[in-house]
Amino acid sequence: MTYQVLIQPTAFQDIENTYRWMCDNFDAETANQWYYDLQDEIASLQLFPKRCP
């Protein structure tokens, strides 16, 4: 069974702010990798929603 994962507007804004901060303080490659890893983790909640209560 898969679940729908909803990202609240404040969480989306936090993700966007963090990405921009990482671009400014590290580099775009690091920021992109962080973002892709985050997307994978969020997607994994569709199958395992209780792993991050």
Side-chain angles (χ1 to χ4, degrees):
M1 175 180 231
T2 60
Y3 295 85
Q4 184 177 10
V5 178
L6 301 175
I7 300 175
Q8 297 298 316
T10 53
F12 184 80
Q13 187 65 45
D14 288 344
I15 291 168
E16 188 174 293
N17 289 341
T18 301
Y19 177 82
R20 289 180 182 172
W21 181 87
M22 290 182 79
C23 283
D24 292 343
N25 291 282
F26 296 104
D27 56 64
E29 184 177 334
T30 301
N32 287 335
Q33 186 61 52
W34 172 82
Y35 183 73
Y36 296 138
D37 290 344
L38 179 62
Q39 283 184 325
D40 290 343
E41 294 297 322
I42 291 170
S44 74
L45 291 171
Q46 291 176 331
L47 295 175
F48 304 107
K50 294 184 180 183
R51 76 173 180 82
C52 295

